[in-house]
Amino acid sequence: MKKLFLSATLATILAGPGAAHAVDMKFSLWIPPMHPLVAGLTEWGKDVEAASGGEVAVKLFPAEQLGKAGDHYDMARDGIVDMAMVAPGYSAGRFPIWSIIELPFTFKNSTDGAKALHEWYAAYADREMPDVKVCLVTMHHPGTLHTTKTEVRTPDQLSGLRIRPAGPVTSAFVTAQGGNTVQAALPEIRELAERGVVDGVTWPPDIFVIKAESALKYHMGEPFYITAQAQVINKDFYAGLTDSQKAVIDAHCTPEWSAKVNQGWANGEMAALERLKGLEGHTVYSLTEDEFAKWKAAAAPLVGDVLKTAGDRYGINAKQVQAELFERLDANDARY
């Protein structure tokens, strides 16, 4: 017993009073373990651990193990988890500045696009998400419209169609064109499309992941919309880190890391698009200039509504905020 006590005492003396202690960083995700973004975030966590000399160990918990998807912002805010994947689109109206990115025909890719989004939102994160530290942003490759029976070349052709939308902004767009929205969980989409309950979905190129290629045959070959996520850290957790540990986290909460984490997901989506182009019975179509102009004109009222909501909520010039987003997208060659 005396030998054990002396060993412990010696270890304490050698470590010194300023020695850092290992910290487990509990990171909650609502996507399944096989999602390509999990691989990107896993590599991010490994790099954090290596850069900290093992002082910060990132532990990922995918598939809603620790809480429902829509609760993740509050989970991070309240310290239920140390870091969380937040989908602002799951909380309609709560994050109106963020909603600006979901307006149609804005982003053309999800890697440089994520970098641009991170650079832009950094100026507004403390205003809109003051309870947490925004570390990374992630996003799917720009999604489009997939339909069962016909091409949809102009927005008026949405009238009467039943569409499963990606989020509140795309839902508002579809409704404004006379379409009907159908809310459905991902595993239900294929069956509903095959039964004719749903005429189409807004979704990224990889419809294979929801096994819906048997029913969705027509694919608009334009980057119609995106949805994105914020990977956020509990502020008390961050405040409790040592200066050196904070420095490691800060070095991994950058626009460059946002782009890097997204790369694998983007590669998969772009490969799926090429697969669709070569798949028998499927049509990937592009819009003419005149057709595209009609989509932009149809989106104008929605743009006005989204900007007004953000401006009214925070007393900001939302048109200028959107212009700043365009500037960052242009600088990163990511604007559509």
Side-chain angles (χ1 to χ4, degrees):
M1 190 71 178
K2 182 183 292 184
K3 185 176 181 180
L4 288 173
F5 175 76
L6 290 173
S7 296
T9 302
L10 180 60
T12 301
I13 293 171
L14 291 174
H21 298 282
V23 175
D24 283 339
M25 188 175 187
K26 189 163 59 176
F27 188 177
S28 181
L29 312 172
W30 39 266
I31 51 178
M34 297 308 293
H35 192 289
L37 187 56
V38 175
L41 291 170
T42 297
E43 289 305 310
W44 176 86
K46 289 180 179 178
D47 208 84
V48 167
E49 185 165 359
S52 68
E55 291 180 15
V56 180
V58 180
K59 309 293 185 182
L60 268 64
F61 295 85
E64 295 187 324
Q65 292 180 56
L66 304 180
K68 295 297 183 182
D71 296 333
H72 272 53
Y73 181 87
D74 295 335
M75 288 163 56
R77 178 196 65 191
D78 297 339
I80 296 171
V81 297
D82 305 315
M83 189 170 182
M85 177 184 187
V86 175
Y90 287 176
S91 302
R94 188 173 184 181
F95 305 104
I97 295 176
W98 185 277
S99 294
I100 294 172
I101 70 172
E102 298 176 1
L103 289 167
F105 306 110
T106 300
F107 289 75
K108 74 175 183 181
N109 65 57
S110 60
T111 48
D112 296 330
K115 180 174 179 289
L117 168 55
H118 192 144
E119 291 171 351
W120 168 75
Y121 196 67
Y124 299 99
D126 286 344
R127 184 189 299 256
E128 186 158 75
M129 299 185 183
D131 314 298
V132 296
K133 174 182 173 64
V134 174
C135 177
L136 299 168
V137 300
T138 53
M139 56 190 283
H140 63 69
H141 198 65
T144 191
L145 182 65
H146 308 271
T147 47
T148 57
K149 297 178 180 178
T150 186
E151 298 177 9
V152 179
R153 288 189 161 275
T154 55
D156 61 289
Q157 292 175 331
L158 286 170
S159 181
L161 295 185
R162 294 156 298 186
I163 304 295
R164 192 271 189 188
V169 175
T170 51
S171 180
F173 182 86
V174 169
T175 302
Q177 311 317 310
N180 303 297
T181 58
V182 178
Q183 301 303 322
L186 299 184
E188 300 174 316
I189 291 176
R190 179 186 65 178
E191 181 184 354
L192 293 178
E194 289 177 341
R195 288 167 46 200
V197 177
V198 166
D199 299 307
V201 303
T202 54
W203 188 258
D206 191 0
I207 61 170
F208 305 101
V209 74
I210 53 174
K211 305 183 187 303
E213 68 275 14
S214 60
L216 300 169
K217 303 289 188 177
Y218 299 90
H219 319 279
M220 184 194 293
E222 311 289 347
F224 181 29
Y225 77 98
I226 64 104
T227 57
Q229 308 81 39
Q231 314 293 337
V232 306
I233 298 174
N234 173 266
K235 284 194 167 181
D236 288 339
F237 171 83
Y238 178 78
L241 298 176
T242 66
D243 288 345
S244 63
Q245 291 166 350
K246 287 177 182 175
V248 169
I249 295 298
D250 291 346
H252 285 76
C253 293
T254 64
E256 291 74 20
W257 267 106
S258 287
K260 187 174 182 178
V261 164
N262 271 274
Q263 188 64 63
W265 193 6
N267 290 345
E269 294 289 356
M270 289 185 284
L273 180 58
E274 292 305 309
R275 182 179 172 188
L276 282 177
K277 290 178 180 178
L279 194 62
E280 185 177 356
H282 286 253
T283 300
V284 178
Y285 58 95
S286 298
L287 301 177
T288 67
E289 289 186 14
D290 288 344
E291 289 167 345
F292 181 69
K294 291 178 180 179
W295 285 91
K296 291 287 284 186
L302 177 62
V303 172
D305 290 343
V306 169
L307 295 183
K308 184 177 186 305
T309 298
D312 290 349
R313 174 76 60 83
Y314 298 110
I316 57 177
N317 182 341
K319 287 185 178 180
Q320 177 59 36
V321 173
Q322 186 188 41
E324 292 168 4
L325 172 61
F326 290 157
E327 289 174 4
R328 298 319 312 152
L329 289 170
D330 286 338
N332 287 279
D333 193 25
R335 183 179 176 186
Y336 181 63

